[in-house]
Every structure is written in structure tokens, then in C-alpha cells.
Amino acid sequence: MEGILDNLSLAAKSLQTQTTKITKHYHVTIAEWRLLRQIQNQVITQDAMAEALQLDTSTLSRQLKSLTSKGLVSKTAVGKDRRQLEYALTTTGHETLANIDTDYQALIDAVFHYWPEDEQQMMKIMLNRLSRSLDRADSILEEDTK
């Protein structure tokens, strides 16, 4: 069974490389692209973003600062004391996100072009099952190390 996880790891590395090429073309990282997607989906406060992306606040702050300096995101102070910030995509941010999403969809289309729909659905099912199994294995390993 070790070969399955090795193959999955190689496929993940290849996907990471292809996705990096796409995002780099638009001068953002994969992490910044994911953050732009969250903001587009109205996840606009740092707390909500940190939870949605499972990031610590210092990493998130660096990414938001980078996106702001690139002109892709704007921030607005809100609340009684104006210390909470809400983020929104700028026009350039919307365009950049749309371009990356289009290129990423083209990658997906190219990868799965010859896959029948039923095989694509089976792959989703199997990957979800694998993810749950990995989570269970992680829990068991954590218990064993205690």
C-alpha cells in the first residue's frame, strides 16, 4: 500500500508545481490566491480568515500585508474603536483572481479531459475516503505517542 501514498505524493507535487506556475504568472503565491478566494467569498475579517484557512495570525497578517501592497486587497477599519479590519478585493484583485481561476480551470480541464464523469466522481469519493483514513491514522498515532 505504500506505493499508493507515494504516487499520491508525486501527483500532489506535480499539481503544486503547475499551480505555482499559474499563480506566479500573476505575481501571487498559492497561499495568497487562496486568501483572495476567501475574501471574494465574504470571509473578510482576520479571525474568520484564520479559521477558514487554518492559519496563525502572524502568517495571515504577512499575506494580507503583501496583498495590500500589491494593490489586490483594501482594508477598512470598523467597530467602535476602529481596531478591527475588514478586507475587500480591489478591482485589480478581482481581475487577478478571475485570471488565476480561469487558468486553474483550464488546468483541471486538461488533466481530466479524457476522464469519464463516473471516474472523476469515483476519484472524489476515493480521495475523501483517503483523507478520512489519514485523519483517523493521525489520531491513533497521536494517542500512541502520549
Side-chain angles (χ1 to χ4, degrees):
M1 293 316 264
E2 156 180 322
I4 292 172
L5 294 180
D6 291 337
N7 288 342
L8 182 62
S9 181
L10 288 172
K13 188 178 280 191
S14 180
L15 176 60
Q16 180 87 11
T17 300
Q18 293 296 322
T19 306
T20 298
K21 285 179 187 177
I22 292 169
T23 58
K24 193 174 190 179
H25 179 76
Y26 296 99
H27 311 290
V28 297
T29 65
I30 293 172
E32 290 171 340
W33 171 48
R34 290 184 178 131
L35 188 50
L36 289 172
R37 292 169 100 185
Q38 289 297 315
I39 295 168
Q40 181 186 45
N41 291 330
Q42 300 303 309
V43 179
I44 57 175
T45 64
Q46 283 190 354
D47 290 341
M49 288 180 222
E51 184 177 329
L53 295 169
Q54 297 179 335
L55 292 173
D56 63 74
T57 53
S58 62
T59 300
L60 179 62
S61 292
R62 281 192 303 277
Q63 291 174 357
L64 287 168
K65 184 176 181 178
S66 175
L67 289 172
T68 302
S69 70
K70 293 174 185 178
L72 302 176
V73 170
S74 63
K75 60 184 175 182
T76 305
V78 296
K80 289 181 186 178
D81 59 7
R82 317 260 313 147
R83 290 191 335 197
Q84 185 175 10
L85 298 173
E86 290 184 347
Y87 293 85
L89 298 180
T90 62
T91 301
T92 304
H94 280 286
E95 291 168 359
T96 299
L97 181 56
N99 289 332
I100 294 171
D101 286 346
T102 297
D103 289 357
Y104 188 71
Q105 187 58 52
L107 172 63
I108 292 169
D109 293 345
V111 168
F112 293 106
H113 181 74
Y114 294 106
W115 287 49
E117 184 63 34
D118 63 328
E119 289 183 8
Q120 291 181 47
Q121 291 302 322
M122 181 58 71
M123 176 62 82
K124 288 178 189 176
I125 291 166
M126 298 304 288
L127 287 172
N128 285 332
R129 185 175 182 186
L130 177 62
S131 180
R132 288 190 307 273
S133 294
L134 287 169
D135 288 344
R136 276 194 306 274
D138 186 46
S139 297
I140 292 169
L141 291 173
E142 282 182 11
E143 288 177 14
D144 288 345
T145 59
K146 289 181 181 177

